[in-house]
Amino acid sequence: MSAVLDDTLLDDPARLAEADSAGLLRAAAMAGAQVRSTTERAVEVQLADRLDLGRPRALVLIVRPGVGRALTKLLAALLAPSCPVPVVVTDAVPSWIGALDVVFAHTDDPADRELAAGIERASRYGATVVLSAPDEGPVAASVAGKGLLLSPRIPVPPELTFARGLAAGLLTANALGLLVADVEALADQLDGEAERGHLGRDSFSNPAKALALRLADRVPMLWGLDPLAIALAEHGAYELGAYAGMVCDAADYRQALARPALRRMVLANSGEQDLFADPDFDDMGLKPRVLLLAVHSGPTADAARYEASNTLPGAGIIAPGDEISGDEPVRAGVLALRFELAAVYLGLAAGSMGGAGQYAPATA
């Protein structure tokens, strides 16, 4: 399903503000604030001191529904190149968990009883637990007094907590000596992306609006050229489903091309939309829009982009490293926020804002 877009709305700040009655654009723009508040919370609970345990036997990343699914895959991809310990990505706390292991999970569901039971068992067996979750309900109770709870301070809807979870994961990895990530730079660059994506900027200078226009009236195909980009493709697909009601294909570029029928369709429809096409008789809504996502940089990454561009000449490329400075966690965070803002813009312009009414924005 594609979004049928009222594109005039995107360049009308007054109408946008009126349509965004739930304050979702403002909430998405607080990604940098989420990172800073998580850092402050980590200092308060003495995260760095309490994780000064020496090298753990394993780091276990628990996958939960919502933004946590792509988030844990992204954290694993960030750690993979040089991590000196095994990184286990799993839906549940494994049976072999023990005192030498560290468990990390991000959830926005305070009543996730499956996670609560797993965390309680991990704590009982002596594992160190870091939990990014609300400070109420069974999940928070499962870690009380036995682990580290990084609870939110910035009220945003569950679909927009990727930045908080990313900050919590990066701070945990930093404290364990498994990664060196500049979390302060991440917050600064997220503020910069939120400014670029502000509703007052027109679509020519607003990367989130421009992305929304590229995806409208097409079936999005988000294909990652590296492991980080693949995780972010999944996050983008989640956000487009959450706010724009769009079905989206998220895949590894090579795996995507291994589907012959889809590959033929993409190549056959790689041109731009015909300006003179009649939407009443044309099936534009069924045509794909391939966006190749790239987070890695360097010769190998450049070669992959060159190959993909030649194989799919009609595809667009989104590579945040071409626009901003920063390490891979920073580039990944910026791309995640861009998809969040684009999804909200699409939802507002198409009138398909899924679940927005569940969010009551905070008042100053």
Side-chain angles (χ1 to χ4, degrees):
M1 177 182 178
S2 62
V4 179
L5 185 74
D6 176 9
D7 54 2
T8 64
L9 179 68
L10 292 185
D11 286 330
D12 190 331
R15 288 176 62 206
L16 268 176
E18 182 181 2
D20 187 18
S21 59
L24 289 169
L25 289 171
R26 178 177 178 271
M30 297 178 78
Q34 288 190 64
V35 171
R36 292 188 180 90
S37 66
T38 302
T39 302
E40 292 170 0
R41 180 61 179 159
V43 172
E44 290 178 0
V45 301
Q46 301 178 313
L47 180 77
D49 291 337
R50 294 177 65 179
L51 291 184
D52 187 14
L53 310 167
R55 183 174 296 179
R57 180 179 64 170
L59 174 61
V60 180
L61 305 176
I62 308 298
V63 180
R64 302 313 299 158
V67 302
R69 182 162 294 277
L71 170 65
T72 49
K73 293 181 180 179
L74 176 64
L75 289 172
L78 287 168
L79 287 161
S82 59
C83 188
V85 303
V87 178
V88 179
V89 179
T90 176
D91 290 342
V93 173
S95 59
W96 47 260
I97 203 73
L100 299 179
D101 304 312
V102 175
V103 176
F104 173 82
H106 171 84
T107 185
D108 292 288
D109 180 5
D112 187 339
R113 295 191 178 275
E114 182 180 356
L115 176 61
I119 294 298
E120 193 280 330
R121 183 163 57 82
S123 299
R124 189 169 67 250
Y125 285 106
T128 301
V129 175
V130 181
L131 187 61
S132 170
D135 58 358
E136 58 185 15
V139 173
S142 70
V143 78
K146 296 171 288 186
L148 297 159
L149 178 63
L150 301 178
S151 54
R153 290 180 169 176
I154 306 296
V156 298
E159 299 85 4
L160 298 176
T161 63
F162 190 91
R164 173 168 65 83
L166 178 58
L170 293 177
L171 290 166
T172 299
N174 282 354
L176 291 169
L178 305 180
L179 192 67
V180 179
D182 191 340
V183 180
E184 183 178 348
L186 171 62
D188 291 341
Q189 288 289 0
L190 288 175
D191 286 344
E193 182 67 14
E195 183 179 351
R196 291 187 291 271
H198 189 270
L199 62 85
R201 286 180 175 262
D202 62 41
S203 55
F204 294 102
S205 60
N206 186 320
K209 289 183 180 180
L211 177 57
L213 288 170
R214 294 171 82 180
L215 296 176
D217 304 324
R218 295 290 183 105
V219 178
M221 307 282 173
L222 306 180
W223 294 350
L225 298 179
D226 56 69
L228 300 178
I230 296 166
L232 289 166
E234 185 168 332
H235 179 63
Y238 169 76
E239 293 296 331
L240 289 170
Y243 287 122
M246 298 178 72
V247 175
C248 177
D249 183 60
D252 176 351
Y253 159 74
R254 294 186 181 279
Q255 178 66 21
L257 291 185
R259 297 171 288 183
L262 183 59
R263 177 174 178 164
R264 285 194 296 271
M265 182 182 72
V266 166
L267 290 172
N269 294 281
S270 61
E272 293 298 319
Q273 180 172 343
D274 181 358
L275 296 177
F276 301 101
D278 186 338
D280 291 331
F281 296 95
D282 191 66
D283 62 344
M284 291 303 298
L286 297 178
K287 291 188 176 181
R289 168 75 73 202
V290 176
L291 292 179
L292 302 172
L293 312 184
V295 179
H296 285 335
S297 59
T300 302
D302 291 342
R305 286 175 59 176
Y306 179 80
E307 176 192 346
S309 297
N310 278 277
T311 302
L312 298 172
I317 293 181
I318 301 181
D322 294 346
E323 309 167 39
I324 64 169
S325 60
D327 56 15
E328 290 185 342
V330 169
R331 298 198 295 267
V334 166
L335 185 51
L337 175 56
R338 186 170 302 178
F339 272 109
E340 291 167 3
L341 287 166
V344 172
Y345 278 127
L346 276 170
L348 293 173
S352 56
M353 190 62 72
Q358 299 175 5
Y359 170 54
T363 55

